[in-house]
Amino acid sequence: FYEAIDLASKKLPDVEDATEIFTRAIDNVRPSVEVRSKRVGGANYQVPREVRRNRQQSLAIRWLVDNARKKKGKPMAVRLSEELVDAYNGTGTSVQWKESVHKM
């Protein structure tokens, strides 16, 4: 993790604090709404619900790590740093994942 933060700070030289990269990446990936199944009269409906703050953070971190794991051929620190930089810039698979959850 720390190696990934160091690599990400080298890729973004305009950022003074390395923790700013992580917090902004988490903020860009954090979902505000998700759908939950609700059973009504024998049918299941997808009901949008707000996400609690601690679940937002855990989902964001989980998505960042999972999408970094899906990239193959590089060390994990490099993959995680690339995912953090992409999330910091508002691009990447984790941000697309959040947008697809919001579209549902």
Side-chain angles (χ1 to χ4, degrees), residues 3-15:
E3 186 178 344
I5 292 290
D6 290 339
L7 289 170
S9 64
K10 289 176 186 171
K11 291 179 184 178
L12 297 168
D14 56 326
V15 181

Side-chain angles (χ1 to χ4, degrees), residues 66-76 78-79 82:
D66 287 347
N67 287 320
R69 283 183 182 150
K70 288 177 187 174
K71 297 178 183 180
K72 298 293 180 188
K74 298 177 187 174
M76 184 61 184
V78 174
R79 293 182 282 171
E82 289 174 354

Side-chain angles (χ1 to χ4, degrees), residues 8-69:
S9 64
K10 289 176 186 171
K11 291 179 184 178
L12 297 168
D14 56 326
V15 181
E16 301 103 25
D17 191 14
T19 58
E20 181 183 338
I21 296 170
F22 181 71
T23 55
R24 185 166 165 195
I26 292 293
D27 288 341
N28 288 343
V29 177
R30 183 177 285 157
S32 59
V33 178
E34 69 180 346
V35 291
R36 292 285 183 101
S37 292
K38 175 96 172 155
R39 188 170 176 88
V40 178
N44 287 328
Y45 294 103
Q46 297 287 332
V47 179
R49 307 259 327 245
E50 280 191 38
V51 184
R52 293 188 324 267
R53 188 81 173 155
N54 58 353
R55 180 160 168 78
Q56 286 179 353
Q57 185 167 344
S58 67
L59 283 173
I61 293 170
R62 186 180 313 154
W63 292 344
L64 282 168
V65 172
D66 287 347
N67 287 320
R69 283 183 182 150

